[in-house]
Amino acid sequence: MFQNRFGAVARLAELGCVLAALTLAAATAARADGCPKPSDEIATDRPDVTNSSIVVPVGSLQNENGINLTGRSSGRSIDGSNSRWRLGIAPCLEVLIDLPSYIGTVKSPGASGFFDVAPGIKWQISPLPRKLDLSITAGVALPTGAAEIAGRGAQPYIQLPWSWELHDGWGVSGMFTEFFRPAELSGQHMSEATFVIEKKLTERISMFTEYVGDYPDGARPTQLINSGGLYQITPTQQVDFHVAFGLNRNSPNYIVGLGYSFRVDGLFR
């Protein structure tokens, strides 16, 4: 009798697993209809600090690059190529990696070297009502670069980029980020908040103005106003620029940057 009851329970458990799997598959298939597709225009994480709330389509590889000139009271520095690779691996899901960028001083003595390599994963939790898009990104900067440039040890982070499409080409977006540096003796945590107002001037040209605030533990914040624009050469290619100005003494005097991004579709066919 015990074996019969156990067998019945086991069959019910198996049936429950099958029903749960079918329900999950149906929900995933229904949700996939709202995820990005290869026919959509390129949406990049640059030139503003705020990342896109949209992931890349399944089977698409996106390469984003840029170079910046930064001016401070003590001198100038150049960093590049700020390359980020993004690969769509499932509906509304991508993996990404920030390749090591190099920073070098131009005018004054200072540290030069590479930043860390930083892999991550991004899930688009959208679409939501009223054309609101939201994503969550989790990643970690691995200790591969120069410690005086990138810091010590592994540095995990979590981000919540969002965007809201308004009327007549206007839109607002922003991002909340938490950075963690457990290997550092001080400043083990930093919060970052951004807010963007953007306007699509034509089908290919967009402009934006952005506030960026970094708030580290035990140190003064860094605050910037960042403005720029982008031009889509084709639906899968983009050139961009941005100019930022510091709002307090702890911030850079200015940052000027240029970039180029492209996307290759259909890799999983």
Side-chain angles (χ1 to χ4, degrees):
M1 181 181 295
F2 176 79
Q3 291 180 348
N4 291 337
R5 290 181 178 177
F6 180 79
V9 172
R11 286 192 293 272
L12 287 175
E14 292 176 358
L15 179 59
C17 291
V18 172
L19 291 176
L22 292 175
T23 302
L24 179 61
T28 302
R31 186 174 177 277
D33 292 338
C35 296
K37 299 175 177 59
S39 57
D40 296 338
E41 296 178 347
I42 187 172
T44 66
D45 289 343
R46 56 167 302 115
D48 48 355
V49 175
T50 303
N51 291 339
S52 172
S53 60
I54 307 298
V55 300
V56 297
V58 179
S60 296
L61 176 64
Q62 192 159 295
N63 187 352
E64 305 174 8
N65 311 274
I67 186 171
N68 295 311
L69 172 65
T70 301
R72 296 180 180 271
S73 57
S74 58
R76 301 185 185 91
S77 62
I78 293 180
D79 62 89
S81 61
N82 299 307
S83 295
R84 167 170 286 191
W85 291 359
R86 304 167 58 191
L87 175 65
I89 59 173
C92 285
L93 186 67
E94 72 174 45
V95 292
L96 59 93
I97 184 169
D98 292 323
L99 301 183
S101 292
Y102 183 84
I103 182 171
T105 58
V106 177
K107 189 176 179 180
S108 65
S112 298
F114 285 95
F115 289 95
D116 294 339
V117 60
I121 187 167
K122 184 176 183 179
W123 177 40
Q124 182 179 335
I125 315 168
S126 65
L128 298 179
R130 298 184 181 180
K131 300 180 180 179
L132 176 66
D133 285 303
L134 174 68
S135 294
I136 181 170
T137 306
V140 57
L142 303 176
T144 56
E148 59 272 22
I149 298 295
R152 300 179 180 85
Q155 302 173 28
Y157 70 90
I158 185 168
Q159 291 177 329
L160 291 171
W162 61 272
S163 62
W164 188 6
E165 183 180 342
L166 303 177
H167 302 286
D168 300 324
W170 288 95
V172 293
S173 59
M175 185 172 67
F176 300 98
T177 309
E178 297 293 327
F179 297 97
F180 304 93
R181 298 180 176 182
E184 297 289 347
L185 298 178
S186 61
Q188 295 182 342
H189 174 262
M190 185 180 74
S191 300
E192 182 179 76
T194 69
F195 182 77
V196 184
I197 299 176
E198 53 191 333
K199 169 66 173 177
K200 193 167 186 178
L201 302 179
T202 68
E203 289 298 320
R204 295 190 176 187
I205 301 176
S206 298
M207 304 293 291
F208 72 91
T209 297
E210 174 186 44
Y211 167 81
V212 183
D214 291 335
Y215 302 91
D217 287 342
R220 294 181 179 178
T222 298
Q223 297 176 315
L224 296 168
I225 289 294
N226 185 33
S227 296
L230 59 89
Y231 173 73
Q232 289 184 350
I233 306 173
T234 69
T236 58
Q237 295 184 79
Q238 169 187 302
V239 291
D240 58 64
F241 77 95
H242 72 103
V243 180
F245 298 96
L247 298 179
N248 57 13
R249 294 182 179 180
N250 198 43
S251 306
N253 295 342
Y254 63 86
I255 304 174
V256 180
L258 300 172
Y260 169 72
S261 306
F262 66 91
R263 191 183 75 207
V264 179
D265 299 320
L267 298 182
F268 295 168
R269 292 176 182 175

